[in-house]
């Protein structure tokens, strides 16, 4: 027994070391001074970020920083911690910090802070760097690459280095990608001394938004919310077939709400879930694979989504709430499908769940569900409309009234929590905890999440400010929950002391800053790639190259992009992978979609890239999440990764679906019933796909049944794939009517034109489809001029006579003397959702046949419990 326990403790330590190596730094020095440095520097970083995110600088008019200055300080902390917290190589010492790392770390921090220290002087000489500026920039760039290698491994450093070489030696490149090359002065000004490269948008997002959300998650974990989410999930789902696996899915989803790390998610929830999955009958590899699939998908869950959600705000140019809205449905149906896959695995193996300590009748369960549901509706209504009423009546005093009400709610929920026993904190769940008392023990943990969502959705605060106020509440909870519990439970001791809560708070702050080291250097290094694209114009070359190798086929480009994301994701963290691939490929996909007559929203392309970047976390042979899960399960990491990837095929299919059916991203939904139809169709489609890929529905599927289920999934996801063949979505009108047609269009609607022209380089004739948004001008001629088009008639043909400079038409590739072949007008037809009827009939047929076969086999129909 003792030996087993020691082995478990050792494996937990090894898993924590894996997180440290990939997330927060593997060094754990024994000396007093370096220990203090690695404690107080991250703490100072967190305090700086709290100050920067708060309204206090403007309130006191002290230490007010602009975005560039804040980015410089943020990166200075990240580079210094990269050299002090991460050893040079794996075999390098971890018990002390060598003198050279101190020196290099300080030089790197100074090089980054140079923009803050000499901000005014640099602003007065833009594009004219001094010799000192260039020396600092070169040193800073080199040390950033080394910091990236230490914190994240060689891949991102190698990618960034290749792009730097391309910038300075473009004249020696192959003709297809050659350019004149940049001088040292121009390159360093772009990369380091301005905001187009390292200190660009990506680092700005890391500074202003991501840090606060990572800190918020770290404080939630320090307060005990992670343990609460896991145990509540087990209490709710542990009794079902394959219950621990289903609890793993839900707890990973809840952890994913506030954590952007798949590896940390595996270790946090996997230490609970994987042993229990093995206990109820799952093999080691399958138990680990389920946890890997759950945890990698945790990055899909709004509101955090790693750092990608915040980057999309800047790159796509939409609000944070819009990003959450678009990402919500795919993430939810992905998790629903994973729960169903777990259920099918349990059915195939004949597994049961954990034994319930208290058994309720069906009527009692239904009554409990109804009362809980009604309570949640009433509570949401009172919160939303009550606070809205207070805001209307109280005006400027609302903040004080709401603060008092929030404090009262917190004290009340903490008092309610003290009516039940404290939750266990061990990494072993021996018996199924009761749901009611388990949930009751931590309702107050939901208050910061409510505050976060209220500030985002209702108050429309910036993401950084919303996270700041939620973090302030978390700080209050950490400082007060232990003393108040001592009062309510009438108990004393260290566990209920203010000092212990303060220690938890400081530890959470330090953990939050150390967890940001990798993200800070990743976004900076990825800025090198973005800077190269803007400096050299390689983006246009990439567009032409990808279009050439794909032959203009949109599906081939999507497959090409997916493969690039998976390959780069094997070495790059998700955030850096997303920045690199979206910078290069997103414009290509949007442009090519337009040429194929398909409106591809930019957010759809960015989510497409993001999804495949996440999938790389469990793609063999690298997938670190699979190695972490295998470390807990004792299974083979490669087999765990392969099995996890088979579970995650549903995640790989979703991006292709929402590119062609943007309603899955809640784009183009006009009515509430339209939304309900989309949600139900997506859920049933994903269930059909899961059943098809698992070869099991109600019983083991035959080949034709598997094919039928996959066809059902395709038709529910993309009803237009068949409907559009029967009833074309567009009809062609003669170009001679273009002026009259444009005059009758609604402002803001899309004009689709098919053009034919000649490539002056090759002499080949090409055709392309473009889409342009019409304005509010009064006449058709004025509207055409507004989008940059003037036409002429010649020999019965309508030709482009003139294209406005920098107009929408020029950006879309309209050129002189192109012929307008036709105007593509939306066809009046029945909605494509009518395709759901025959699809539902096929779905029902498979269900009926399998249910009959199952009865003949003498097996009852599978149930959830």
């Amino acid at each position: 027994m003792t030996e087993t326990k020691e082995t478990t403790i050792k494996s937990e330590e090894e898993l924590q070391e894996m997180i440290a190596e990939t997330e927060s730094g593997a060094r754990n020095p024994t000396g007093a001074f370096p220990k203090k440095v690695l404690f107080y520097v991250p703490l100072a970083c967190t305090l700086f970020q709290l100050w920067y995110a708060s309204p206090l600088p403007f309130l006191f008019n002290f230490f007010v920083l602009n975005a560039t200055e804040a980015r410089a300080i943020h990166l200075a902390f990240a580079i210094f911690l990269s050299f002090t917290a991460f050893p040079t190589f794996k075999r390098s010492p971890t018990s002390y910090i060598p003198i050279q790392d101190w020196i290099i770390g300080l030089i790197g921090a100074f090089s980054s802070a140079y923009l803050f220290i000499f901000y005014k002087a640099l602003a007065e000489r833009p594009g004219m760097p001094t010799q000192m500026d260039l020396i600092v920039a070169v040193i800073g760039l080199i040390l950033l690459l080394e910091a990236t290698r230490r914190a994240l491994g060689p891949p991102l450093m190698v990618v960034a280095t290749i792009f730097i070489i391309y910038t300075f030696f473009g004249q020696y490149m192959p003709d297809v990608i050659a350019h004149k090359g940049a001088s040292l002065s121009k390159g360093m000004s772009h990369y380091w001394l301005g905001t187009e490269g390292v200190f660009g948008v990506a680092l700005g997002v890391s500074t202003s938004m991501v840090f606060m959300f990572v800190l918020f998650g770290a404080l939630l974990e320090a307060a005990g919310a992670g343990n609460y989410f896991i145990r509540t999930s087990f209490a709710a789902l542990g009794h079902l077939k394959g219950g621990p696996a289903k609890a793993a899915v839900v707890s990973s989803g809840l952890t994913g709400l506030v954590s952007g790390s798949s590896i940390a998610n595996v270790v946090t929830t996997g230490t609970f879930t994987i042993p229990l999955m093995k206990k109820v009958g799952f093999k080691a590899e399958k138990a680990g694979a389920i946890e890997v699939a759950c945890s990698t998908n945790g990055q899909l869950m709004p509101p955090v989504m790693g750092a990608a959600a915040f980057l999309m705000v800047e790159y796509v140019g939409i609000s944070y709430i819009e990003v959450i809205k678009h990402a919500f449905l795919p993430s939810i149906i992905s998790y629903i499908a994973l729960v169903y896959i777990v259920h099918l695995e349990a059915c195939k193996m004949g597994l049961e769940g954990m034994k319930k300590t208290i058994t309720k009748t069906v009527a009692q369960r239904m009554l409990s569900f109804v009362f809980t549901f009604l309570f949640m509706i009433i509570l949401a209504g009172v919160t939303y409309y009550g606070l809205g009423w207070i805001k209307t009546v109280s005006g400027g005093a609302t903040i004080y009234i709401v603060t008092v009400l929030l404090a009262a709610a917190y004290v009340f929920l903490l008092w309610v929590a003290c009516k039940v026993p404290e939750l266990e904190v061990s990494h072993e769940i021996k018996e199924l905890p009761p749901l009611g008392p388990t949930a009751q023990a931590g309702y107050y943990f939901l208050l910061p999440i409510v505050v976060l969502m209220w500030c985002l959705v209702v108050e429309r605060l910036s993401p950084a400010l919303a996270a700041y106020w939620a973090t302030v509440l978390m700080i209050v909870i950490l400082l007060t929950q232990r003393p108040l519990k001592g009062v309510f439970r009438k108990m004393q001791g260290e566990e209920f002391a203010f000092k212990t809560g303060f220690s938890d708070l400081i530890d959470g702050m330090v953990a939050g800053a150390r967890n940001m080291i990798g993200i800070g250097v990743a976004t900076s290094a990825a800025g090198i790639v973005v800077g190269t694209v803007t400096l050299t114009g390689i983006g246009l070359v990439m567009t032409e190259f990808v279009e050439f190798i794909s032959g203009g086929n949109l599906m081939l480009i999507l497959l090409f992009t997916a493969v690039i994301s998976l390959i780069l994701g094997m070495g790059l963290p998700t955030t850096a992978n997303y920045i690199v691939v979206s910078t290069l490929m997103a414009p290509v996909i949007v442009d090519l979609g337009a040429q194929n007559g398909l409106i591809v929203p930019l957010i759809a392309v960015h989510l497409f890239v993001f999804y495949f970047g996440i999938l790389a976390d469990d793609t063999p042979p690298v997938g670190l999440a699979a190695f972490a899960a295998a470390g807990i399960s004792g299974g083979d990491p490669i087999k765990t990764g392969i099995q996890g990837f088979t579970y995650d095929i549903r995640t790989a299919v979703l991006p292709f679906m929402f590119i062609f059916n943007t309603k899955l991203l809640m784009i183009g939904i006009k009515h509430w019933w339209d939304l309900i139809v989309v949600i139900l169709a997506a859920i049933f489609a994903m269930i059909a796909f899961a059943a098809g890929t698992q070869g099991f529905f109600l019983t083991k599927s035959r080949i034709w049944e598997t094919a039928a289920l996959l066809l059902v999934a395709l038709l529910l996801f993309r009803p237009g794939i068949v409907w559009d063949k029967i009833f074309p979505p567009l009809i062609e009108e003669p170009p001679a009517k273009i002026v009259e047609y444009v005059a009758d269009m609604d402002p803001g609607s899309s004009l689709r034109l098919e053009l034919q022209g000649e490539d002056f380089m090759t002499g080949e004739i090409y055709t392309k489809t473009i889409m342009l948004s019409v304005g509010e001008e009064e006449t058709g001629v004025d509207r055409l001029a507004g989008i940059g088009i003037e036409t002429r008639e010649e020999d019965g043909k309508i030709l482009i006579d003139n294209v406005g400079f920098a107009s929408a038409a020029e950006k879309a590739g309209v050129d002189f003397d192109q012929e307008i072949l036709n105007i593509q007008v939306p066809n009046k037809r029945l909605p494509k959702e009518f395709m759901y009827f025959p699809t539902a009939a096929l779905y029902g047929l498979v269900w009926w046949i399998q249910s009959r076969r199952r009865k003949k086999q003498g097996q009852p129909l599978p149930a959830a419990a």
Side-chain angles (χ1 to χ4, degrees):
M1 184 73 177
T2 308
E3 186 182 11
T4 306
K5 188 175 181 182
E6 287 175 356
T7 305
T8 304
I9 292 171
K10 183 181 178 183
S11 66
E12 287 177 11
E13 289 174 352
E14 288 172 352
L15 290 167
Q16 293 304 324
E17 285 177 12
M18 178 179 283
I19 292 182
E21 286 178 8
T22 57
E23 302 284 337
S24 58
R27 274 204 180 117
N28 188 17
T30 54
F33 179 72
K35 263 187 178 296
K36 287 181 179 179
V37 169
L38 290 183
F39 182 84
Y40 287 110
V41 171
L43 180 61
C45 178
T46 296
L47 294 174
F48 159 72
Q49 293 286 163
L50 283 169
W51 174 266
Y52 177 63
S54 75
L56 296 178
F58 302 98
L59 190 63
F60 295 108
N61 196 27
F62 172 73
F63 200 47
V64 180
L65 301 171
N66 61 36
T68 305
E69 292 171 318
R71 293 172 192 180
I73 296 173
H74 178 82
L75 183 57
F77 276 116
I79 288 182
F80 178 77
L81 289 171
S82 295
F83 284 103
T84 51
F86 291 88
T88 310
F89 302 104
K90 285 189 176 180
R91 63 179 180 273
S92 299
T94 57
S95 58
Y96 67 94
I97 303 174
I99 185 66
Q100 67 267 22
D101 285 354
W102 286 110
I103 295 170
I104 296 171
L106 289 170
I107 293 172
F110 170 76
S111 299
S112 177
Y114 189 79
L115 269 75
F116 166 71
I117 299 169
F118 300 103
Y119 180 78
K120 289 185 179 178
L122 288 168
E124 290 172 359
R125 54 173 189 269
M128 295 183 291
T130 63
Q131 186 176 12
M132 181 64 178
D133 295 341
L134 293 177
I135 292 171
V136 169
V138 171
I139 293 173
L141 204 58
I142 293 171
L143 294 185
L144 172 61
L145 292 173
E146 169 58 14
T148 303
R149 186 195 65 79
R150 291 195 184 202
L152 304 169
L156 181 55
M157 181 207 71
V158 171
V159 170
T161 303
I162 290 170
F163 275 83
I164 291 172
I165 292 171
Y166 174 74
T167 296
F168 291 112
F169 299 98
Q171 64 270 37
Y172 303 111
M173 297 294 162
D175 290 343
V176 69
I177 59 171
H179 67 100
K180 65 179 182 178
S183 64
L184 181 66
S185 174
K186 185 177 181 181
M188 289 301 109
S189 295
H190 199 79
Y191 280 135
W192 196 266
L193 302 174
T195 56
E196 292 290 329
V198 170
F199 297 95
V201 170
L203 183 60
V205 169
S206 175
T207 306
S208 62
M209 301 184 204
V210 179
F211 191 102
M212 291 309 302
F213 278 85
V214 170
L215 176 62
F216 176 62
L219 294 182
L220 266 175
E221 183 65 35
N227 181 55
Y228 170 71
F229 289 151
I230 292 169
R231 292 186 179 274
T232 304
S233 301
F234 269 98
L237 301 172
H239 65 286
L240 305 178
K241 284 184 181 290
K246 291 174 181 174
V249 177
V250 174
S251 59
S252 291
L254 291 171
T255 305
L257 287 172
V258 293
S259 168
S261 168
S262 55
I263 299 167
N265 203 335
V266 166
V267 175
T268 302
T269 60
T271 48
F272 290 87
T273 60
I274 291 175
L276 282 172
M277 281 190 267
K278 291 175 67 179
K279 189 176 180 181
V280 298
F282 283 96
K283 292 181 180 179
E285 284 79 14
K286 286 197 173 183
I290 289 169
E291 181 57 47
V292 168
C294 301
S295 298
T296 51
N297 277 204
Q299 290 186 74
L300 302 178
M301 283 296 293
V304 176
M305 297 168 61
F310 313 108
L311 289 162
M312 287 178 198
V313 170
E314 299 296 329
Y315 288 154
V316 182
I318 60 177
S319 70
Y320 182 66
I321 297 302
E322 287 291 306
V323 172
I324 291 176
K325 184 185 83 172
H326 297 318
F328 180 74
L329 183 56
S331 65
I332 291 297
I333 62 176
S334 182
Y335 266 104
I336 289 173
L338 188 53
V339 171
Y340 186 65
I341 286 173
V342 166
H343 180 70
L344 292 178
E345 289 281 15
C347 289
K348 284 191 283 185
M349 291 185 281
L351 304 181
E352 296 298 329
M354 299 174 71
K355 188 175 180 181
K356 295 184 73 170
T357 53
I358 301 173
T359 305
K360 292 183 179 180
T361 64
V362 175
Q364 286 175 324
R365 280 186 285 176
M366 289 295 293
L367 192 64
S368 175
F369 172 78
V370 169
F371 275 120
T372 304
F373 187 68
L374 288 175
F375 174 75
M376 294 298 289
I377 291 177
I378 292 169
L379 185 63
V382 169
T383 304
Y384 185 84
Y385 293 105
L387 290 178
W389 176 79
I390 291 172
K391 191 172 182 179
T392 303
V393 172
S394 305
T398 302
I399 182 65
Y400 303 106
I401 296 172
V402 170
T403 301
V404 171
L405 291 175
L406 190 62
Y410 166 59
V411 173
F412 172 73
L413 290 176
L414 201 61
W415 174 77
V416 169
C418 291
K419 295 296 180 183
V420 296
E422 284 287 317
L423 295 177
E424 292 184 22
V425 293
S426 65
H427 286 281
E428 186 177 3
I429 300 177
K430 295 181 180 178
E431 62 179 28
L432 190 68
L435 177 58
T438 304
Q440 186 177 332
Y443 283 138
Y444 64 94
F445 285 131
L446 303 179
L447 284 176
I449 298 175
V450 170
V451 168
L452 175 66
M453 298 312 296
W454 176 270
C455 290
L456 285 171
V457 177
V458 180
E459 297 296 330
R460 298 283 178 170
L461 300 181
S462 69
L465 195 55
Y468 169 77
W469 289 118
T471 302
V472 167
L473 180 55
M474 273 311 310
I475 291 172
V476 172
I477 289 175
L478 275 162
L479 290 175
T480 60
Q481 65 171 343
R482 290 180 181 274
L484 287 175
K485 281 183 178 180
V487 172
F488 292 140
R489 293 188 185 278
K490 298 179 180 178
M491 299 178 71
Q492 293 182 342
E494 188 175 334
E495 184 182 349
F496 301 102
F498 174 84
K499 182 181 177 182
T500 306
F502 182 76
S503 178
D504 290 340
L505 170 62
I506 298 301
D507 288 343
M509 286 182 165
V510 172
R514 291 191 64 161
N515 290 342
M516 274 299 299
I517 299 172
I519 296 176
V521 295
T523 50
S524 305
I528 294 172
V529 177
V530 177
T532 301
V533 172
T534 56
L535 181 61
T536 65
I538 183 65
L540 295 174
V541 176
M542 279 294 297
T543 302
E544 295 173 1
F545 176 69
V546 172
E547 189 174 343
F548 170 74
I549 64 171
S550 68
N553 186 293
L554 182 60
M555 182 57 76
L556 284 179
I557 286 213
L558 292 173
L559 288 170
F560 183 67
T561 305
V563 170
I564 289 176
S565 297
L566 287 174
I567 292 173
L568 288 177
M570 290 182 186
L572 270 61
T574 305
T575 304
N577 186 10
Y578 162 72
I579 294 170
V580 172
V581 181
S582 64
T583 300
L584 295 173
M585 299 303 298
V588 184
I589 296 173
V590 172
D591 291 344
L592 199 62
Q595 291 178 29
N596 284 269
L598 179 69
I599 301 175
V600 182
L602 193 56
I603 182 65
V605 181
H606 280 257
L607 284 171
F608 181 94
V609 171
F610 176 56
Y611 267 54
F612 279 98
I614 288 172
L615 282 173
D617 277 348
D618 62 4
T619 304
V622 178
L624 292 177
F627 279 85
I632 301 171
S633 70
D636 182 88
I638 300 298
K639 290 181 180 178
T640 301
I642 293 171
Q643 185 69 59
F645 189 75
T646 62
Y647 291 149
D648 263 346
I649 288 175
R650 74 200 191 289
T651 309
V653 167
L654 264 176
F656 287 97
M657 295 299 106
F658 62 59
I659 286 287
F660 293 99
N661 182 9
T662 53
K663 284 189 175 182
L664 291 171
L665 302 177
M666 291 195 264
I667 296 173
I669 293 177
K670 298 177 182 178
H671 307 287
W672 63 267
W673 59 83
D674 195 10
L675 176 62
I676 291 174
V677 169
V678 169
I679 292 173
L680 291 176
I683 291 172
F684 281 108
M686 194 52 89
I687 287 173
F689 182 80
T693 53
Q694 292 298 305
F696 194 97
F697 188 30
L698 302 183
T699 186
K700 186 175 181 181
S701 298
R702 292 169 178 160
I703 293 176
W704 77 265
E705 291 169 340
T706 295
L709 287 169
L710 294 176
L711 178 62
V712 164
L714 176 62
L715 294 177
L716 287 176
F717 273 132
R718 278 196 64 193
I721 199 169
V722 173
W723 199 253
D724 291 349
K725 302 294 183 185
I726 303 171
F727 306 102
L730 301 169
I731 56 175
E732 296 177 355
E733 293 287 349
K737 295 182 178 180
I738 187 169
V739 175
E740 294 84 351
Y741 177 70
V742 171
D744 293 335
M745 291 176 68
D746 294 327
S749 56
S750 294
L751 170 66
R752 298 170 181 252
L753 301 176
E754 186 175 8
L755 304 175
Q756 179 176 288
E758 181 180 350
D759 189 321
F760 294 110
M761 298 294 291
T762 63
E764 294 180 358
I765 303 297
Y766 64 85
T767 59
K768 63 188 297 186
T769 303
I770 63 162
M771 286 177 292
L772 299 165
S773 181
V774 300
E776 299 182 359
E777 293 86 355
E778 293 184 4
T779 67
V781 173
D782 290 339
R783 287 186 174 185
L784 282 174
I787 57 180
I789 292 178
E790 293 181 21
T791 63
R792 73 177 189 274
E793 185 174 353
E794 188 176 292
D795 299 329
K797 298 177 180 178
I798 303 298
L799 304 176
I800 302 295
D801 191 43
N802 189 27
V803 180
F805 176 72
S807 64
E810 185 183 62
K811 292 176 183 177
V814 180
D815 206 349
F816 300 98
D817 290 334
Q818 287 176 339
E819 180 186 355
I820 302 177
L821 297 179
N822 55 67
I823 309 166
Q824 297 183 349
V825 181
N827 189 13
K828 293 180 180 178
R829 59 174 188 164
L830 292 171
K832 60 185 178 183
E833 283 75 16
F834 273 84
M835 195 65 209
Y836 290 155
F837 290 109
T839 305
L842 179 59
Y843 211 159
L845 176 65
V846 175
W847 184 90
W848 180 71
I849 291 173
Q850 289 211 1
S851 64
R852 284 171 57 89
R853 189 162 73 248
R854 189 177 177 89
K855 285 178 182 177
K856 286 180 181 178
Q857 294 168 350
Q859 301 175 29
L861 288 176

